[in-house]
Amino acid sequence: MATKVSDSPRPLPSIPSRAAVAKEARTAEAPAKPTGAPAGWNADRFEAAAQAPRPLVCTVPTPPPSAPVEPEPEVDTVAVDSDPMTHIAYLASDELEGRDSPSAGLDAASRYVQQHVQKYGLVGPNTSNPDNPFEQRFDVYSFAGRPGVRGEPEGHVHTPDTYGHAPFESGFYLEDAMPRETLALLNQKYEQAMNARGLPLAPPREGAQRSVEELRQLASASGQAVNTMALLEGSGPNKDEVIVVMAHLDHDGVDRRGNVLNGADDNASGSAVLMAAVPELAEAAKRGELDRSVLFLWTGAEEKGLVGSQYFVDHPIPGLGTEEIAGVINVDMVGRWDDQRLSVVDTNSRGQPNYFREVLAQANAQLDDPFDRINQDINVFRDRQDGASFGRKGEDVLFMFEGLSNPNGGGDLIPEYHRADDDIDLILRDNGGEKPRRIKDLMVNVIELAANRTAEP
């Protein structure tokens, strides 16, 4: 049984440094040249011919054997790639500057994900973007200049009402052909944003709501963010259906004091768990063990208000629309606390369990060391995470989360939520990295069961 806090945590696997090749031993120095001629040195030349000449002996010192060259240690790259801590270490590094949406750091994270999935044979499904079918790009706007920056010491208040984000809370996308219901939601957000700041509203020119063009004139753009995706094709009779497995790749960038908000837990942890699952699931697909296909989705601009996930459902990938989706798994903040508990949302908006409740119980039982506690204590978060964008379309959603401060359910978020000290060392301190590893194993089981599930008629 895994310990609650690992006393001897499994070390973070890393690619071993190449073994230093031993230097060749120096050849031993030749003996010193004699200063005088040895006695009888000339006798050989004048002896009688009948006497055989003394053979000339040339003594060359034999150098000592070179030190053996140690072979380079073999690196199990699959094991390294299958460890979430490998990917958290990069995604939560200062190099990516907090993965804001949009930012060069988020683009670098997207490229890192793309290189990883291509290594294991996954394909880019977005045929609407032939230049790069692994990406779906969208412009990010806000109503009050650049969306607010978090990370201030007195900042985010940790209550259920302020965990996560409501749709378009501090950012949104705009397109001429956006769905009517999304445009209506955006009109509401505009009015809320202006009222909250005590600013006058610009009335709609025609009808009851402002058009896309009117809202564009009232908003400011901050650039393009990216959704990153990859498809692992199934091979069964239901291969045209997909299980969507998602995590948001972005975080909050840099705060006003210049501190990088690395977001190791939020949400490098969830993004890394998806990446770590790819090698094992790719092997399962090669063996023909996946009926349905699996669509991996790393969203952008979640921290701006679930923008990337909303854009995805409003712009379905050809052949992967809501009618082809057979379930959604969202993984967000799965690195902290002990490694024997997590919290889930496995209900619909009416509080009724969806099929994932039974699947999750089976998946947990399949583990060598099942989780002791799978708490259903975060239903209040249902609409404040990326899975909600799919839930509003009627999809069955499983939301996997690390849990709250009370191991048996309830309590507070981690104190470092949306702060500059959300770093990888706190994951190692809490559980030695075992929590993300174990959630990855559980998630793989869930995906395989969902992909091969016999759907009710």
Side-chain angles (χ1 to χ4, degrees), residues 1-16:
M1 172 106 20
T3 58
K4 304 301 182 277
V5 177
S6 179
D7 294 325
S8 301
R10 181 166 64 188
L12 171 63
S14 58
I15 299 176

Side-chain angles (χ1 to χ4, degrees), residues 114-124 134 230-233 278-279 282-283 285-286 296:
Q114 292 176 52
Q115 291 169 1
H116 175 75
V117 296
Q118 290 180 77
K119 179 179 179 180
Y120 290 95
L122 278 65
V123 298
F134 291 94
L231 182 67
L232 179 62
E233 296 180 342
V278 166
E283 284 301 312
K286 287 180 182 178
F296 291 89

Side-chain angles (χ1 to χ4, degrees), residues 434-455:
E434 289 302 306
K435 181 80 164 269
R437 293 174 183 129
R438 284 168 48 72
I439 287 183
K440 185 265 293 190
D441 292 340
L442 176 64
M443 190 189 72
V444 167
N445 289 352
V446 170
I447 293 170
E448 290 180 340
L449 289 168
N452 296 301
R453 169 177 171 266
T454 300

Side-chain angles (χ1 to χ4, degrees), residues 269-291:
S269 65
S271 294
V273 163
L274 264 63
M275 294 183 70
V278 166
E280 186 173 346
L281 289 169
E283 284 301 312
K286 287 180 182 178
R287 296 191 298 266
E289 296 175 359
L290 294 180
D291 178 5

Side-chain angles (χ1 to χ4, degrees), residues 121-356:
L122 278 65
V123 298
N126 188 12
T127 55
S128 298
N129 183 15
D131 291 337
N132 188 346
F134 291 94
E135 291 185 349
Q136 184 184 51
R137 290 192 168 270
F138 53 94
D139 293 321
V140 179
Y141 294 83
S142 69
F143 283 127
R146 184 175 180 273
V149 181
R150 303 195 181 193
E152 299 301 317
E154 67 279 3
H156 209 70
V157 179
H158 302 146
T159 68
D161 291 337
T162 54
Y163 166 79
H165 304 277
F168 300 162
E169 191 169 35
S170 54
F172 50 89
Y173 83 88
L174 275 173
E175 283 190 348
D176 292 335
M178 65 195 312
R180 182 179 303 173
E181 62 271 18
T182 305
L183 180 58
L185 173 63
L186 193 50
N187 267 269
Q188 295 173 14
K189 291 297 179 182
Y190 165 72
E191 293 174 3
Q192 292 171 7
M194 296 302 104
N195 289 334
R197 292 167 176 80
L199 300 175
L201 296 175
R205 296 171 188 165
E206 295 181 7
Q209 67 180 18
R210 301 154 195 85
S211 67
V212 170
E213 182 55 35
E214 289 176 80
L215 291 174
R216 187 177 284 117
Q217 293 177 7
L218 297 168
S220 59
S222 55
Q224 278 198 332
V226 59
N227 288 332
T228 308
M229 63 195 72
L231 182 67
L232 179 62
E233 296 180 342
S235 57
N238 296 304
K239 65 181 180 180
D240 291 335
E241 298 180 8
V242 296
I243 304 299
V244 176
V245 190
M246 63 190 301
H248 73 87
L249 191 58
D250 66 311
H251 193 53
D252 277 338
V254 180
D255 70 15
R256 292 184 179 91
R257 293 180 173 86
N259 299 309
V260 177
L261 308 181
N262 285 321
D265 191 28
D266 184 16
N267 184 35
S269 65
S271 294
V273 163
L274 264 63
M275 294 183 70
V278 166
E280 186 173 346
L281 289 169
E283 284 301 312
K286 287 180 182 178
R287 296 191 298 266
E289 296 175 359
L290 294 180
D291 178 5
R292 295 175 178 85
S293 299
V294 181
L295 177 65
F296 291 89
L297 174 62
W298 290 265
T299 61
E302 186 272 353
E303 300 285 6
K304 300 293 185 279
L306 316 182
V307 182
S309 58
Q310 186 65 50
Y311 187 87
F312 181 89
V313 299
D314 286 349
H315 299 78
I317 303 304
L320 297 175
T322 53
E323 62 275 12
E324 285 85 26
I325 295 176
V328 178
I329 304 166
N330 184 33
V331 187
D332 193 350
M333 293 180 63
V334 290
R336 297 291 302 281
W337 311 121
D338 67 73
D339 68 347
Q340 277 294 341
R341 44 79 179 249
L342 70 152
S343 293
V344 300
V345 175
D346 54 8
T347 57
N348 59 26
S349 59
R350 298 181 299 277
Q352 300 169 331
N354 58 41
Y355 80 80
F356 279 113

